[in-house]
Amino acid sequence: IERYESVLREFNYDNVPNLVVKKMDKRWGSFTNAGNLVLNSRLIHASKDCIDYVIAHELCHVKHKNHGKDFYKLLGKKMPDWEKTKEKLELRLG
């Protein structure tokens, strides 16, 4: 919750997505049509920067539903080193 609140402040959204933590087999996180941000419970084993990356990635989906150019532009603005962090996450826990 602490990491979520910290990253969420960077986005300045009026409507805050509900945070849900659950076991997920194939994803680190997702943003649902119901407005929930879901995080994989296995992230507890990840470093802070990896957790922040997944949260930031999913928060970008609040504005951009797909992984288009605008999505990656926003992600790059909020987390300039996201590619390195994603690779680190996948290598360690993938």
Side-chain angles (χ1 to χ4, degrees), residues 19-65:
L19 178 63
V20 177
V21 178
K22 70 178 193 176
K23 186 175 184 250
M24 300 168 80
D25 292 330
K26 302 205 185 276
R27 296 176 180 217
W28 291 114
S30 69
F31 182 71
T32 68
N33 290 334
N36 295 320
L37 192 149
V38 184
L39 296 178
N40 190 325
S41 58
R42 287 178 45 219
L43 281 171
I44 194 129
H45 303 293
S47 59
K48 261 199 246 188
D49 60 332
C50 290
I51 295 168
D52 289 356
Y53 157 70
V54 175
I55 294 169
H57 180 107
E58 299 310 331
L59 286 172
C60 287
H61 282 306
V62 172
K63 287 207 182 221
H64 306 289
K65 301 301 179 207

